[in-house]
Structure formats: C-alpha cells, structure tokens
C-alpha cells in the first residue's frame, strides 16, 4: 500500500469547547476530540474509524460520547450478506419508474435525512508540515530507551528524505471508472464468479421467469396444479434488483462514475463546477443555508480535500485506495454525488448531496444501495474489503435511525471498541442515549495504551519517540495531552502516527 516513506502526520486539538450540533441544533451541545491531519495512510484511517473517528475534509474528529448531546456510534453493514428490505426495493422501483416513464413522485415534506458536515469543528489553523523535510532523530539512546520498539526501529530503517505517497501508481487514476447501469466490463483475469452468492442471470431470463410465475398463479387459481419452476427458493441479489431497475434503455440514461478527488484526476477537475453547483443548491434547499454560505472554498475544504494518499496494492482494488466522488449522471447532468473513501476493509461513506429537484427519489437511500453493491464488487478484487461504513448512527435523533435498516449491521462499542449487532444495541439505546454496547464486563480495549513513551512525535522536522522528546525538553508540560491523544487513537496507531509538537 503506502510506500515506506509515507507517514500519517496529525495535530491534536483536544475537545474542551462545545459547538453546534447538526442533529438537535443545540448551539453548544456537541463535543468531540479533534485533530488536523496533514497526511494519512489508508490503513491508519481504517484503524481510526474502527475506534470511532471520522473525517470531514482533513479534520478528523471523535465524539466525546458521554458528554455530547447526541452520541454518535460508528455503524457498518456486512455488505456480502445484505439483502434489500421491502422499503429498499420500493426505492429501486421508484427510480426505475422515473427513468423509464419520467414519473417523479410527489416531494417529501422534509426531504431525506442526511448527515451534516462537521463545519464548526477544527477551529485552529494547522501548522504547515512537509514530509520531505522530515528527519529521524539519530540519537544513540533510542533503542536503549525503548527496547523492542518496533515503531522506532521502523522509523530508523526508513529514509524520509523523499516525498511521501505513491506517485508511481498515479497513472492508474487518470481515468474515471464507470459504475453505471451498463456494467458489462471484461472481468479481470482470475477473478471469476463469487461461489458464495447466487449466479447472475440475464434480464431476459428474469423476465421469462416472472411471466412463468404469473402463469402458474393463474393456473393455480383455476384449480390446476402448477409445475415447480427452477430457482423457486432462490433469493434475488441486490445486484439483480438494481439491474431490473435499469432494464432496457434506462441503463443508457443513468450512469455512475467514480472519480478520484485526491489527488484530483482530470475527470474530477472537468466536472468540478457542475458538482459544486449541485452541492450549493442542496445546502440551500435541504440544510437551509443562506446563499453566501455554501461557498466554493467550503465545498473544497469539507468534501474535496482529504488527508488520504492515493495508494495501490497488488491484492487491492484496481482503482486503488483513497478518496473518491461517485457521481450520478442522468441524461448528461449530475444529479447526486456520493463522497466515499475506499479503505483496506471497507467503503466508507463520507457525505451525499443531490439536486433538490430530485428529493422525492430518495437519493440518499438509493446511493447507499449502490454503494453496498459497489463494495461487493470491490470484494471480488480484494477479499478483505467486505464492509460498508455508513458513518455515524444517531439513535437519539429519530430521523437518523434509518441507517440501522441496512442489515446485517453492527455498532461500535465506545468502551471496548468491539462490534455489536444493531439488534442487540437498540434496546440499550432505547433506555439511554449513551450505552456501553458490549455487555461483557470483562471485554476491554485491546489497544489501550500501555506505554505512552512509544508514541511517535514530530518536533522541528525530527521524528522521535515521545520518551526521547520528553527527556530532551523536560520543561514541557504536555504529557497529559499526549497521554489523552494516545488513548484515543490506540497503542498501535500511536506508534505509527506522527504527533506534531511545536
């Protein structure tokens, strides 16, 4: 994945001040720990979201669960085992009806509930840091101070004089990847069909089977014993439902394009203005922003900028890991954009915005179904990439409970950092806004900090373990802050991520 010279570099800001909550609108009720990420590897971000962190642009935050007004629990869906519910099928049929006949349903009163961008967080200006300027503290006492410290040894082995990143793979990002209705691409050599799921069938065969079932029902009503059709008990997959909703000429009208947003590829740049205009209309209509608030700089900062580097791996997805925009094009215009991160074990949904004229199509739910199908497609290329993260589940906000409908799903326990099924969590959250979800009293945090001295820090362009830093600068009183930071990111991340010290 990341090259040997790639490091995650963060500035930790703590979480003392409250700010406006996007869910209950409490002006000072939302509390979170935060840090600015100058750069971040996809593996480090994967580990951080598995500890309750989430990014908004380059700002990474973690709700203070016992203090914040609306506790936010990280939620993930088991994409491979997902089966659409009746309401999900209705959404797919609604889209199909609009595309084929132009029938737009009556608009919903409040639109579809969606996450709010974390705009008020991250009040401080980050320090400018360049990875190419980093150097390793060559003090002879590092190994003596930290015996068997794998992180310190790794830092000493790697040269950090060259620019970080994976530019050698950048040619793979020069073109957008189409995820549209006509997804008939030549399969990659050796991938083949997934034996764990039913085989795909042609639309013509599906229509023939439906006609046969209708004939059998009529025969049964007339007292004729029907013959058993093939595939009687076979449950249709999500992909089959999506394919049916895009049959015939409709597949030429709706196209889903995947474009890399960081670093931006040519297709992202070419569609930037059109994408921004959709975002501006969305913020004004759905979130009631004044016309001057959804500025282009805000759009770039929260939805285009990303600390994640473009990384590639031999056993990873063909487009690589990192940050992307999934654009929904209908008749040559963008109607919605899903901001997503492709990580080692998941597709993580960051945000979704859409043209308000299409509010009644439930594009938030529709895009989630498409992103789950996209995750399943990527899993064929990278076997461990099998989860779809929906961001935060907010049980105290009824409009945000819809995320729990994408099952099977788990919520992250805020104390043990283990996953617990949604079904087990809901009774606990019905009784209390905050709850320890893992009911095993002996289950602890496997990444609890055992030695803060192993945490890596970056001071004056020099990388060193915190124990070395603290002895070199004895007058500094930041031990409590570093200890808090390390406990929030976990021992392993603390030994890999560079914590900036001024």
């Amino acid at each position: 994945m990341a090259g040997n010279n790639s490091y995650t570099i963060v500035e930790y800001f703590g979480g003392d001040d409250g700010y406006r909550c996007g869910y209950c609108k409490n002006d000072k009720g939302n509390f979170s720990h935060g840090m600015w990420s100058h750069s971040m590897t996809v593996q480090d971000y994967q580990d951080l979201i598995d500890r309750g962190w989430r990014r908004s642009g380059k700002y990474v935050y973690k709700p203070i669960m016992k203090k914040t007004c609306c506790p936010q629990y990280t939620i993930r869906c088991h994409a491979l085992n997902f089966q659409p519910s009746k309401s999900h099928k209705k959404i797919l049929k609604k889209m199909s009806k609009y595309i084929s006949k132009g029938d737009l349903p009556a608009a919903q009163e409040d639109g579809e509930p969606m996450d709010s961008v974390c705009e008020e967080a991250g009040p401080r200006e980050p320090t400018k840091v360049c990875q190419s300027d980093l150097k390793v503290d060559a003090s002879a006492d590092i190994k003596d101070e930290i015996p068997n410290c794998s992180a310190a040894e790794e830092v000493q082995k790697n040269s950090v004089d060259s620019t970080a990143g994976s530019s050698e793979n950048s040619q793979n990002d020069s073109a957008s990847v189409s995820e549209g209705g006509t997804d008939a691409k030549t399969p990659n050599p050796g991938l083949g069909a997934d034996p764990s799921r039913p085989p795909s069938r042609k639309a013509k065969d599906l229509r023939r089977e439906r006609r046969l079932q209708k004939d059998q029902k009529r025969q049964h009503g007339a007292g004729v014993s029907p013959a058993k059709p093939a595939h009687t008990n076979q449950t249709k997959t999500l992909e089959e439902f999506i394919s049916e909703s895009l049959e015939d000429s409709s597949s030429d009208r709706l196209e889903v394009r995947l474009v890399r947003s960081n670093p931006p590829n040519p297709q992202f740049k070419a569609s930037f203005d059109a994408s921004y205009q959709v975002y501006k209309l969305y913020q004004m209509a759905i979130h009631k922003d004044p016309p001057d608030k959804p500025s282009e700089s805000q759009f770039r900062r929260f939805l285009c900028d990303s600390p994640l580097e473009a990384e590639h791996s031999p056993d990873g997805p063909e487009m690589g890991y990192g940050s992307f925009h999934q654009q929904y094009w209908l008749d040559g215009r963008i109607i919605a954009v899903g901001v997503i991160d492709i990580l080692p074990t998941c597709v993580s949904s960051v945000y979704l915005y859409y043209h308000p004229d299409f509010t009644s199509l439930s594009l938030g739910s529709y895009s989630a179904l498409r992103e789950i199908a996209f995750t399943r497609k990527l899993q064929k290329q990278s076997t461990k990439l099998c989860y779809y993260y929906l961001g935060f589940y907010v049980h105290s906000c009824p409009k945000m409970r819809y995320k729990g409908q994408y099952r099977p799903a788990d919520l992250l326990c805020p104390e043990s950092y283990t996953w617990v099924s949604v079904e087990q969590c809901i009774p606990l959250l019905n009784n209390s806004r905050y709850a320890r979800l893992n009911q095993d009293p002996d289950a602890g945090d496997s990444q609890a900090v055992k030695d803060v001295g192993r945490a890596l820090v970056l001071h004056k362009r020099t990388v060193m373990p915190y124990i070395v830093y603290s002895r070199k600068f004895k007058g500094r009183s930041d031990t409590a802050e570093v200890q808090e930071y390390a406990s929030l990111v976990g021992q392993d991340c603390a030994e890999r991520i560079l914590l900036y010290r001024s």
Side-chain angles (χ1 to χ4, degrees):
M1 282 198 265
N4 287 338
N5 298 329
S6 297
Y7 291 100
T8 295
I9 303 175
V10 299
E11 288 183 67
Y12 179 65
F13 292 150
D16 297 331
D17 299 328
Y19 53 94
R20 187 174 185 270
C21 176
Y23 303 107
C24 70
K25 311 306 179 185
N26 186 320
D27 285 338
K28 293 291 183 181
N30 198 347
F31 290 86
S32 66
H33 301 284
M35 53 190 183
W36 186 268
S37 178
H38 296 273
S39 62
M40 184 169 287
T41 67
V42 292
Q43 185 59 60
D44 284 341
Y45 186 55
Q46 177 73 68
D47 292 344
L48 287 176
I49 63 173
D50 286 339
R51 290 185 66 82
W53 292 85
R54 178 169 163 81
R55 78 172 184 89
S56 177
K58 291 188 175 184
Y59 185 75
V60 188
Y61 62 100
K62 174 179 167 62
I64 303 177
M65 299 291 279
K66 292 184 178 181
K67 188 176 182 181
T68 193
C69 53
C70 296
Q72 300 153 61
Y73 299 84
T74 301
I75 182 171
R76 72 178 186 184
C77 167
H78 295 250
L80 301 186
N81 297 323
F82 172 80
Q83 274 297 124
S85 65
K86 289 184 179 179
S87 63
H88 295 147
K89 295 173 188 176
K90 287 181 179 179
I91 290 170
L92 293 172
K93 290 178 180 178
K94 185 162 54 174
M95 175 63 78
S96 175
K97 187 175 181 181
Y98 172 71
I99 293 176
S100 61
K101 299 180 180 179
D103 296 339
L104 194 65
Q108 301 171 3
E109 183 178 349
D110 297 322
E112 191 172 30
M114 294 300 296
D115 285 327
S116 58
V117 179
C118 184
E119 299 171 3
E120 290 78 5
R124 307 181 195 178
E125 287 298 319
T127 304
K128 291 184 178 180
V129 178
C130 180
Q131 288 215 27
S132 61
D133 294 333
L134 303 186
K135 58 183 179 180
V136 180
D137 188 306
S139 301
D141 63 342
I142 290 183
K143 286 189 177 180
D144 295 332
E145 299 286 0
I146 310 179
N148 302 319
C149 178
S150 59
E153 291 172 359
E154 185 67 21
V155 171
Q156 291 182 68
K157 285 190 293 183
N158 294 335
S159 167
V160 288
D161 293 329
S162 60
T163 303
S166 302
S167 59
E168 68 273 15
N169 297 309
S170 60
Q171 66 270 20
N172 295 327
D173 303 322
S174 60
S176 61
V177 180
S178 174
E179 291 294 328
T182 53
D183 195 15
K185 295 183 179 180
T186 302
N188 290 338
L191 292 181
D194 186 345
S196 66
R197 297 211 301 271
S200 59
R201 291 176 287 165
K202 294 182 179 179
K204 180 175 65 177
D205 296 333
L206 292 169
R207 289 194 292 270
R208 184 185 299 116
E209 183 176 323
R210 287 198 295 272
R211 286 196 299 269
L212 177 62
Q213 291 173 346
K214 288 181 181 179
D215 291 341
Q216 289 170 346
K217 286 182 179 180
R218 286 195 294 268
Q219 292 173 354
H220 186 69
V224 180
S225 299
K228 289 185 179 181
H231 312 300
T232 303
N233 298 321
Q234 190 175 54
T235 303
K236 284 192 289 188
T237 66
L238 171 63
E239 290 78 6
E240 289 172 331
F241 281 113
I242 292 176
S243 177
E244 287 180 14
S245 71
L246 298 174
E247 285 181 0
D248 304 324
S249 62
S250 63
S251 61
D252 298 325
R253 296 186 58 194
L254 180 66
E255 181 184 8
V256 184
R257 301 178 189 173
L258 183 74
V259 297
R260 185 179 286 279
S261 56
N262 186 61
N265 68 5
Q267 287 70 29
F268 178 85
K269 294 177 181 178
S271 58
F272 178 86
D273 289 339
S275 184
Y276 165 61
Q277 291 303 322
V278 174
Y279 165 76
K280 186 174 182 178
L281 292 171
Y282 172 82
Q283 289 296 122
M284 290 190 294
I286 307 301
H287 290 291
K288 313 302 179 185
D289 284 356
D292 59 334
K293 185 178 180 182
S295 65
E296 184 177 314
S297 61
Q298 181 202 51
F299 174 64
R300 287 184 183 274
R301 181 181 179 187
F302 294 114
L303 298 178
C304 301
D305 291 348
S306 170
L308 300 182
E309 301 173 357
E311 302 180 28
H312 295 79
S313 174
D315 59 351
E318 61 182 350
M319 72 288 297
Y321 301 102
S323 297
F324 299 82
H325 280 196
Q326 209 165 34
Q327 302 172 337
Y328 293 78
W329 290 76
L330 181 63
D331 292 335
R333 63 184 287 205
I334 295 177
I335 65 168
V337 177
V339 182
I340 63 172
D341 294 326
I342 300 179
L343 303 175
T345 65
C346 75
V347 169
S348 175
S349 174
V350 178
Y351 199 62
L352 184 282
Y353 57 93
Y354 51 83
H355 197 294
D357 287 352
F358 300 92
T359 298
S360 60
L361 289 177
S362 305
L363 289 172
S365 297
Y366 181 79
S367 66
L369 294 172
R370 294 297 297 258
E371 287 170 6
I372 291 173
F374 179 56
T375 303
R376 289 154 66 125
K377 178 181 178 182
L378 295 186
Q379 193 273 338
K380 294 180 180 180
Q381 303 171 22
S382 181
T383 55
K384 62 181 180 180
L385 203 165
C386 58
Y387 294 106
Y388 173 60
Y389 283 49
L390 296 93
F392 287 136
Y393 174 81
V394 188
H395 193 76
S396 59
C397 180
K399 286 187 176 182
M400 298 306 297
R401 295 182 183 179
Y402 74 95
K403 292 185 179 183
Q405 298 171 3
Y406 297 89
R407 300 185 181 184
D410 305 318
L411 298 185
L412 184 68
C413 176
E415 296 183 16
S416 66
Y417 297 109
T418 54
W419 296 97
V420 183
S421 69
V422 166
E423 291 85 351
Q424 291 178 263
C425 298
I426 288 178
L428 300 172
L429 297 176
N430 283 337
N431 293 329
S432 174
R433 288 184 175 224
Y434 173 82
R436 175 190 165 95
L437 302 180
N438 189 329
Q439 294 297 285
D440 179 0
D442 296 326
D445 177 9
S446 63
Q447 286 296 312
V449 176
K450 299 177 179 64
D451 186 357
V452 71
R454 293 173 178 261
L456 290 183
V457 300
L458 174 63
H459 176 68
K460 292 185 177 180
R461 302 179 181 177
T462 302
V463 178
M464 65 188 80
Y466 180 68
I467 190 172
V468 175
Y469 167 83
S470 62
R471 291 184 178 179
K472 283 191 173 186
F473 307 99
K474 293 183 178 179
R476 308 241 173 169
S477 57
D478 57 358
T479 302
E481 180 179 296
V482 176
Q483 179 74 42
E484 179 182 68
Y485 151 81
S487 68
L488 294 169
V489 302
Q491 184 72 50
D492 285 353
C493 279
E495 293 182 22
R496 291 197 311 263
I497 295 174
L498 307 186
L499 175 64
Y500 180 82
R501 300 280 85 189
S502 58

